[in-house]
Amino acid sequence: AQSVTQLGSHVSVSEGALVLLRCNYSSSVPPYLFWYVQYPNQGLQLLLKYTTGATLVKGINGFEAEFKKSETSFHLTKPSAHMSDAAEYFCAVRISSGTASKLTFGTGTRLQVTL
Amino acid sequence: GAVVSQHPSRVICKSGTSVKIECRSLDFQATTMFWYRQFPKQSLMLMATSNEGSKATYEQGVEKDKFLINHASLTLSTLTVTSAHPEDSSFYICSATNRGVGNTIYFGEGSWLTVV
């Protein structure tokens, strides 16, 4: 079974600073990895995903993540935080794209951006 | 892009009554839909997987008789919370996937249920 660990339930950065949200996964087969963002009282929006190919994945809103198999990690980064980035971020893993298999979510990281 | 819509976005019901939440895929055929429950400041917990035309597969610990799921068409799945109690109050989110678009999973906007 797959699992996801997000280190740090809360991360606070200053506006303009680097954003780093950590995600480690566990999977017995090559995983498909996702980052979702959730704004208050809303559903989830896909930021980016890794399926196969290039390990550095670029997403929306200037976010990117790098799949590192040796470290079983898929950390999310953004060079310069903006106030509008304040939200809850979820890392998720899925083990197959051949079937409509389910996503397993991490516990989430709340990003706070301060002036 | 693909859109998944939930209705209602917010609902308040009395304890003991039933409430239905709809999940629609607006511009694609959703072969599979998922229902999640999210408590405040917590992650999403998968409740069940719903395949069109077949019975839903419930996760361990989820009462199938309390949370009725019907996936009657390729664009609609419904979650009915029967005999609702205050502890059922939560944020319910659906997601849908279409095998024809690389298995991207799209999420609805969520539905807040408050049982009083």
Coordinates of all heavy atoms in Angstrom, one line a residue, chain B residues 8-74:
Chain B
P8 N -25.6 20.7 -3.1 CA -25.4 22.1 -2.8 C -24.0 22.3 -2.2 O -23.3 21.4 -1.8 CB -26.4 22.3 -1.7 CG -26.5 21.0 -1.0 CD -26.3 20.0 -2.0
S9 N -23.5 23.6 -2.2 CA -22.3 23.9 -1.6 C -22.3 24.0 -0.1 O -21.4 23.7 0.6 CB -21.8 25.3 -2.2 OG -22.7 26.3 -1.9
R10 N -23.5 24.3 0.4 CA -23.8 24.3 1.8 C -25.2 23.8 2.1 O -26.1 24.2 1.4 CB -23.6 25.7 2.4 CG -22.2 26.2 2.4 CD -22.1 27.6 3.1 NE -20.7 28.1 3.1 CZ -19.9 27.8 4.1 NH1 -20.3 27.1 5.1 NH2 -18.6 28.3 4.1
V11 N -25.3 23.0 3.1 CA -26.6 22.5 3.5 C -26.7 22.3 5.0 O -25.7 21.8 5.6 CB -27.0 21.2 2.7 CG1 -26.0 20.1 3.0 CG2 -28.4 20.8 3.0
I12 N -27.8 22.7 5.5 CA -28.1 22.5 6.9 C -29.3 21.6 7.0 O -30.3 21.9 6.4 CB -28.3 23.9 7.7 CG1 -27.1 24.8 7.5 CG2 -28.6 23.6 9.1 CD1 -27.3 26.2 8.1
C13 N -29.2 20.6 7.8 CA -30.4 19.7 8.0 C -30.6 19.4 9.4 O -29.7 19.5 10.2 CB -30.2 18.5 7.1 SG -29.0 17.3 7.7
K14 N -31.8 18.9 9.7 CA -32.1 18.5 11.1 C -31.6 17.1 11.3 O -31.6 16.3 10.4 CB -33.6 18.7 11.3 CG -34.1 20.1 11.3 CD -35.6 20.1 11.7 CE -36.1 21.6 11.8 NZ -37.5 21.7 12.2
S15 N -31.3 16.9 12.6 CA -30.9 15.5 13.0 C -32.0 14.5 12.7 O -33.1 14.8 13.0 CB -30.5 15.5 14.5 OG -30.0 14.3 14.8
G16 N -31.6 13.4 12.1 CA -32.6 12.4 11.8 C -33.1 12.4 10.3 O -33.7 11.4 9.9
T17 N -32.8 13.5 9.6 CA -33.3 13.6 8.2 C -32.1 13.1 7.3 O -31.0 12.9 7.8 CB -33.7 15.0 7.9 OG1 -32.5 15.9 8.0 CG2 -34.8 15.5 8.8
S18 N -32.5 13.0 6.0 CA -31.5 12.6 5.1 C -31.2 13.7 4.1 O -32.0 14.6 3.9 CB -32.0 11.4 4.2 OG -32.2 10.3 5.1
V19 N -30.0 13.8 3.6 CA -29.6 14.8 2.7 C -28.8 14.3 1.6 O -28.0 13.3 1.8 CB -28.8 15.9 3.5 CG1 -27.5 15.3 4.1 CG2 -28.5 17.1 2.6
K20 N -29.0 14.8 0.4 CA -28.3 14.3 -0.8 C -27.4 15.3 -1.4 O -27.8 16.5 -1.5 CB -29.4 13.9 -1.9 CG -28.8 13.4 -3.2 CD -29.8 13.1 -4.2 CE -30.7 12.0 -3.9 NZ -31.6 11.6 -5.0
I21 N -26.2 14.9 -1.7 CA -25.2 15.8 -2.4 C -24.9 15.2 -3.7 O -24.7 14.0 -3.9 CB -23.9 15.8 -1.5 CG1 -24.2 16.4 -0.1 CG2 -22.9 16.7 -2.2 CD1 -23.0 16.2 0.8
E22 N -24.9 16.1 -4.7 CA -24.7 15.7 -6.1 C -23.3 16.1 -6.6 O -22.8 17.1 -6.2 CB -25.7 16.3 -7.0 CG -27.2 15.9 -6.8 CD -28.1 16.5 -7.9 OE1 -27.7 17.4 -8.5 OE2 -29.2 16.0 -8.0
C23 N -22.8 15.2 -7.4 CA -21.5 15.5 -8.0 C -21.6 15.2 -9.5 O -21.9 14.1 -9.9 CB -20.4 14.5 -7.4 SG -18.8 14.7 -8.1
R24 N -21.3 16.3 -10.3 CA -21.5 16.2 -11.7 C -20.2 16.5 -12.4 O -19.5 17.5 -12.1 CB -22.6 17.2 -12.2 CG -24.0 16.8 -11.7 CD -25.0 17.8 -12.3 NE -26.3 17.6 -11.8 CZ -27.2 16.7 -12.3 NH1 -26.8 16.1 -13.4 NH2 -28.3 16.6 -11.8
S25 N -19.9 15.7 -13.4 CA -18.8 16.1 -14.3 C -19.4 16.8 -15.5 O -20.3 16.3 -16.1 CB -18.1 14.8 -14.8 OG -19.0 13.9 -15.5
L26 N -19.0 18.0 -15.7 CA -19.7 18.9 -16.6 C -19.3 18.8 -18.1 O -20.1 19.0 -19.0 CB -19.5 20.4 -16.2 CG -20.0 20.7 -14.8 CD1 -19.9 22.2 -14.5 CD2 -21.5 20.3 -14.7
D27 N -18.1 18.4 -18.3 CA -17.7 18.3 -19.8 C -16.9 17.0 -20.1 O -16.1 17.0 -21.0 CB -16.9 19.5 -20.2 CG -15.7 19.8 -19.3 OD1 -15.4 19.0 -18.4 OD2 -15.0 20.8 -19.5
F28 N -17.0 16.0 -19.3 CA -16.4 14.7 -19.6 C -17.2 13.6 -19.0 O -18.0 13.8 -18.0 CB -14.9 14.7 -19.2 CG -14.7 14.6 -17.7 CD1 -14.4 13.4 -17.0 CD2 -14.7 15.8 -16.9 CE1 -14.2 13.4 -15.7 CE2 -14.5 15.8 -15.6 CZ -14.3 14.6 -14.9
Q29 N -17.0 12.4 -19.4 CA -17.7 11.3 -18.9 C -16.8 10.7 -17.8 O -15.7 10.2 -18.0 CB -18.0 10.2 -20.0 CG -19.0 10.8 -21.0 CD -19.4 9.7 -22.0 OE1 -18.5 8.9 -22.4 NE2 -20.6 9.7 -22.4
A30 N -17.3 10.7 -16.6 CA -16.6 10.2 -15.4 C -16.8 8.7 -15.2 O -17.9 8.3 -14.7 CB -16.9 11.0 -14.2
T31 N -15.9 7.9 -15.6 CA -16.1 6.4 -15.3 C -16.0 6.1 -13.9 O -16.6 5.1 -13.4 CB -15.0 5.6 -16.1 OG1 -13.7 6.2 -15.8 CG2 -15.2 5.7 -17.6
T32 N -15.3 6.9 -13.1 CA -15.1 6.6 -11.7 C -15.2 8.0 -10.9 O -14.7 8.9 -11.4 CB -13.8 6.0 -11.4 OG1 -13.7 4.8 -12.1 CG2 -13.7 5.6 -9.9
M33 N -15.9 7.9 -9.9 CA -16.0 9.1 -9.0 C -15.6 8.6 -7.6 O -15.9 7.5 -7.2 CB -17.4 9.7 -9.0 CG -17.7 10.4 -10.3 SD -19.3 11.2 -10.2 CE -19.3 12.2 -11.7
F34 N -15.0 9.5 -6.8 CA -14.6 9.2 -5.5 C -15.3 10.2 -4.5 O -15.4 11.4 -4.8 CB -13.1 9.4 -5.3 CG -12.3 8.6 -6.3 CD1 -12.0 9.1 -7.6 CD2 -11.8 7.3 -5.9 CE1 -11.2 8.3 -8.4 CE2 -11.1 6.6 -6.8 CZ -10.8 7.0 -8.1
W35 N -15.6 9.8 -3.4 CA -16.2 10.6 -2.3 C -15.3 10.7 -1.1 O -14.8 9.6 -0.6 CB -17.6 10.1 -1.9 CG -18.6 10.4 -2.9 CD1 -19.1 9.6 -3.9 CD2 -19.3 11.7 -3.1 NE1 -20.1 10.2 -4.6 CE2 -20.2 11.5 -4.1 CE3 -19.3 12.9 -2.4 CZ2 -21.1 12.5 -4.6 CZ3 -20.2 13.9 -2.8 CH2 -21.0 13.7 -3.9
Y36 N -15.0 11.9 -0.7 CA -14.1 12.1 0.4 C -14.8 12.9 1.5 O -15.8 13.7 1.2 CB -12.8 13.0 0.0 CG -11.9 12.3 -0.9 CD1 -12.1 12.3 -2.3 CD2 -10.8 11.6 -0.5 CE1 -11.3 11.7 -3.2 CE2 -9.9 11.0 -1.4 CZ -10.1 11.1 -2.7 OH -9.3 10.5 -3.6
R37 N -14.3 12.7 2.7 CA -14.8 13.5 3.8 C -13.6 14.2 4.4 O -12.5 13.7 4.6 CB -15.4 12.6 4.9 CG -16.0 13.3 6.0 CD -16.8 12.3 6.9 NE -17.4 12.9 8.0 CZ -18.2 12.3 8.9 NH1 -18.4 11.0 8.8 NH2 -18.7 13.0 9.9
Q38 N -13.8 15.5 4.8 CA -12.7 16.3 5.3 C -13.2 17.0 6.6 O -14.1 17.8 6.5 CB -12.1 17.3 4.3 CG -10.9 18.0 4.8 CD -10.4 19.0 3.8 OE1 -11.2 19.5 3.0 NE2 -9.1 19.3 3.8
F39 N -12.6 16.7 7.7 CA -12.9 17.4 8.9 C -12.0 18.7 9.0 O -11.0 18.7 8.3 CB -12.6 16.5 10.2 CG -13.6 15.4 10.3 CD1 -13.2 14.1 10.0 CD2 -14.9 15.7 10.8 CE1 -14.2 13.1 10.1 CE2 -15.8 14.6 10.9 CZ -15.4 13.3 10.5
P40 N -12.5 19.7 9.7 CA -11.7 21.0 9.8 C -10.2 20.8 10.1 O -9.9 20.0 11.0 CB -12.4 21.7 10.9 CG -13.8 21.2 10.9 CD -13.7 19.7 10.6
K41 N -9.4 21.4 9.2 CA -8.0 21.4 9.4 C -7.4 20.0 9.3 O -6.3 19.7 9.9 CB -7.6 22.1 10.7 CG -8.0 23.5 10.8 CD -7.6 24.2 12.0 CE -8.0 25.7 12.0 NZ -7.6 26.4 13.2
Q42 N -8.0 19.1 8.6 CA -7.5 17.7 8.5 C -7.4 17.4 7.0 O -7.9 18.1 6.1 CB -8.3 16.7 9.2 CG -8.3 16.9 10.7 CD -9.0 15.8 11.4 OE1 -9.1 14.6 10.9 NE2 -9.5 16.0 12.6
S43 N -6.9 16.2 6.7 CA -6.7 15.8 5.3 C -8.0 15.2 4.8 O -9.0 15.1 5.6 CB -5.6 14.8 5.2 OG -5.3 14.5 3.9
L44 N -8.0 14.8 3.6 CA -9.2 14.2 3.0 C -9.1 12.7 3.2 O -8.1 12.0 3.1 CB -9.2 14.4 1.5 CG -9.6 15.7 0.9 CD1 -8.5 16.8 1.2 CD2 -10.0 15.6 -0.5
M45 N -10.2 12.1 3.7 CA -10.4 10.7 3.9 C -11.3 10.1 2.9 O -12.5 10.5 2.8 CB -10.9 10.4 5.3 CG -10.0 11.0 6.4 SD -8.3 10.4 6.4 CE -8.6 8.7 6.7
L46 N -10.8 9.2 2.1 CA -11.6 8.5 1.1 C -12.7 7.7 1.8 O -12.5 6.9 2.7 CB -10.8 7.6 0.2 CG -11.5 6.9 -0.9 CD1 -12.1 7.9 -1.9 CD2 -10.6 5.9 -1.6
M47 N -14.0 8.0 1.3 CA -15.1 7.2 1.9 C -15.4 6.0 1.0 O -15.6 4.9 1.4 CB -16.3 8.1 2.0 CG -16.1 9.3 2.9 SD -17.6 10.4 2.8 CE -18.8 9.4 3.5
A48 N -15.5 6.3 -0.4 CA -15.9 5.3 -1.3 C -15.5 5.6 -2.7 O -15.3 6.8 -3.0 CB -17.4 5.1 -1.2
T49 N -15.4 4.6 -3.5 CA -15.1 4.7 -4.9 C -16.4 4.3 -5.7 O -16.9 3.2 -5.4 CB -13.9 3.8 -5.3 OG1 -12.8 4.2 -4.5 CG2 -13.6 4.0 -6.8
S50 N -16.8 5.1 -6.6 CA -18.1 4.8 -7.3 C -17.8 4.7 -8.8 O -17.3 5.5 -9.4 CB -19.0 6.0 -7.0 OG -20.1 6.0 -7.9
N51 N -18.2 3.5 -9.3 CA -18.1 3.2 -10.7 C -19.4 3.2 -11.3 O -20.4 2.7 -10.8 CB -17.4 1.9 -10.9 CG -15.9 1.9 -10.5 OD1 -15.1 2.6 -11.1 ND2 -15.6 1.1 -9.5
E52 N -19.6 3.8 -12.5 CA -20.8 4.0 -13.2 C -21.5 2.6 -13.4 O -20.8 1.7 -14.0 CB -20.7 4.7 -14.5 CG -22.0 5.1 -15.2 CD -22.4 4.0 -16.2 OE1 -21.6 3.2 -16.6 OE2 -23.6 3.9 -16.5
G53 N -22.7 2.4 -13.0 CA -23.4 1.2 -13.2 C -23.2 0.1 -12.3 O -23.7 -1.0 -12.4
S54 N -22.3 0.3 -11.3 CA -22.0 -0.8 -10.3 C -22.1 -0.2 -8.9 O -22.1 1.0 -8.7 CB -20.7 -1.4 -10.6 OG -19.6 -0.5 -10.5
K55 N -22.0 -1.2 -8.0 CA -22.1 -0.7 -6.6 C -20.8 -0.1 -6.2 O -19.7 -0.4 -6.6 CB -22.3 -1.9 -5.7 CG -23.7 -2.5 -5.8 CD -23.9 -3.7 -4.8 CE -25.3 -4.2 -4.9 NZ -25.6 -5.4 -3.9
A56 N -20.9 0.9 -5.3 CA -19.7 1.6 -4.8 C -18.9 0.7 -3.9 O -19.4 -0.2 -3.2 CB -20.2 2.8 -4.0
T57 N -17.6 0.9 -3.9 CA -16.7 0.2 -3.0 C -16.4 1.2 -1.8 O -15.8 2.2 -2.0 CB -15.4 -0.1 -3.7 OG1 -15.7 -0.9 -4.9 CG2 -14.5 -0.9 -2.8
Y58 N -16.7 0.7 -0.6 CA -16.6 1.6 0.5 C -15.2 1.2 1.2 O -14.8 0.1 1.3 CB -17.7 1.3 1.5 CG -19.0 1.9 1.0 CD1 -19.8 1.2 0.1 CD2 -19.4 3.2 1.5 CE1 -21.0 1.8 -0.4 CE2 -20.6 3.7 1.0 CZ -21.4 3.0 0.1 OH -22.6 3.6 -0.3
E59 N -14.6 2.3 1.8 CA -13.4 2.1 2.6 C -13.8 1.5 4.0 O -14.9 1.6 4.4 CB -12.7 3.4 2.8 CG -12.2 4.0 1.5 CD -11.2 3.1 0.8 OE1 -10.1 2.8 1.4 OE2 -11.4 2.7 -0.4
Q60 N -12.8 0.9 4.6 CA -13.0 0.3 5.9 C -13.5 1.3 6.9 O -12.9 2.4 7.0 CB -11.7 -0.4 6.3 CG -11.9 -1.3 7.6 CD -10.6 -2.0 7.9 OE1 -9.6 -1.7 7.4 NE2 -10.8 -3.0 8.8
G61 N -14.5 1.0 7.6 CA -15.0 1.8 8.6 C -16.1 2.8 8.2 O -16.7 3.5 9.0
V62 N -16.4 2.8 6.9 CA -17.5 3.7 6.3 C -18.8 2.9 6.2 O -18.8 1.8 5.6 CB -17.1 4.3 5.0 CG1 -18.2 5.1 4.4 CG2 -15.8 5.1 5.1
E63 N -19.8 3.3 6.8 CA -21.1 2.6 6.8 C -21.8 2.8 5.5 O -22.3 3.9 5.2 CB -22.0 3.1 8.0 CG -21.4 2.9 9.4 CD -22.3 3.5 10.4 OE1 -23.5 3.1 10.5 OE2 -21.9 4.5 11.1
K64 N -21.9 1.7 4.8 CA -22.6 1.8 3.4 C -24.0 2.1 3.5 O -24.6 2.7 2.6 CB -22.3 0.6 2.6 CG -22.9 -0.7 3.3 CD -22.6 -1.9 2.4 CE -21.1 -2.2 2.3 NZ -20.8 -3.4 1.5
D65 N -24.7 1.7 4.6 CA -26.1 2.0 4.7 C -26.4 3.4 5.2 O -27.5 3.9 5.1 CB -26.7 1.0 5.8 CG -26.7 -0.4 5.2 OD1 -26.8 -0.6 4.0 OD2 -26.6 -1.4 6.1
K66 N -25.4 4.0 5.7 CA -25.6 5.4 6.2 C -25.2 6.4 5.0 O -25.8 7.4 4.9 CB -24.7 5.7 7.4 CG -24.8 7.1 7.9 CD -24.2 7.3 9.2 CE -24.5 8.7 9.8 NZ -26.0 8.9 9.9
F67 N -24.2 6.0 4.3 CA -23.7 6.9 3.2 C -24.0 6.2 1.9 O -23.1 5.4 1.4 CB -22.2 7.2 3.4 CG -21.8 7.9 4.6 CD1 -21.4 7.3 5.7 CD2 -22.0 9.3 4.7 CE1 -21.0 8.0 6.9 CE2 -21.7 10.0 5.9 CZ -21.2 9.3 7.0
L68 N -25.1 6.5 1.3 CA -25.6 5.8 0.1 C -25.0 6.5 -1.1 O -25.2 7.7 -1.2 CB -27.1 5.8 0.1 CG -27.8 5.1 1.2 CD1 -29.3 5.1 1.0 CD2 -27.4 3.6 1.3
I69 N -24.4 5.7 -1.9 CA -23.8 6.3 -3.1 C -24.4 5.7 -4.4 O -24.4 4.5 -4.5 CB -22.2 6.1 -3.1 CG1 -21.6 7.0 -2.0 CG2 -21.6 6.5 -4.5 CD1 -20.1 6.7 -1.8
N70 N -24.8 6.5 -5.3 CA -25.4 6.1 -6.5 C -24.7 6.8 -7.7 O -24.6 8.0 -7.7 CB -26.9 6.5 -6.5 CG -27.6 5.9 -7.7 OD1 -26.9 5.4 -8.7 ND2 -28.9 6.0 -7.8
H71 N -24.2 6.0 -8.6 CA -23.5 6.5 -9.8 C -24.3 6.1 -11.0 O -23.9 5.1 -11.7 CB -22.0 6.0 -9.8 CG -21.1 6.7 -10.8 ND1 -19.8 6.6 -10.7 CD2 -21.4 7.5 -11.8 CE1 -19.2 7.3 -11.7 NE2 -20.2 7.8 -12.4
A72 N -25.4 6.8 -11.2 CA -26.4 6.3 -12.1 C -26.0 6.6 -13.6 O -26.5 5.9 -14.5 CB -27.7 7.0 -11.8
S73 N -25.2 7.6 -13.8 CA -24.8 7.9 -15.2 C -23.3 8.3 -15.2 O -22.7 8.4 -14.1 CB -25.6 9.0 -15.7 OG -25.2 10.3 -15.2
L74 N -22.8 8.5 -16.4 CA -21.4 8.8 -16.5 C -21.1 10.3 -16.2 O -19.9 10.7 -16.2 CB -20.9 8.5 -18.0 CG -20.7 7.1 -18.3 CD1 -20.4 6.9 -19.8 CD2 -19.5 6.5 -17.5

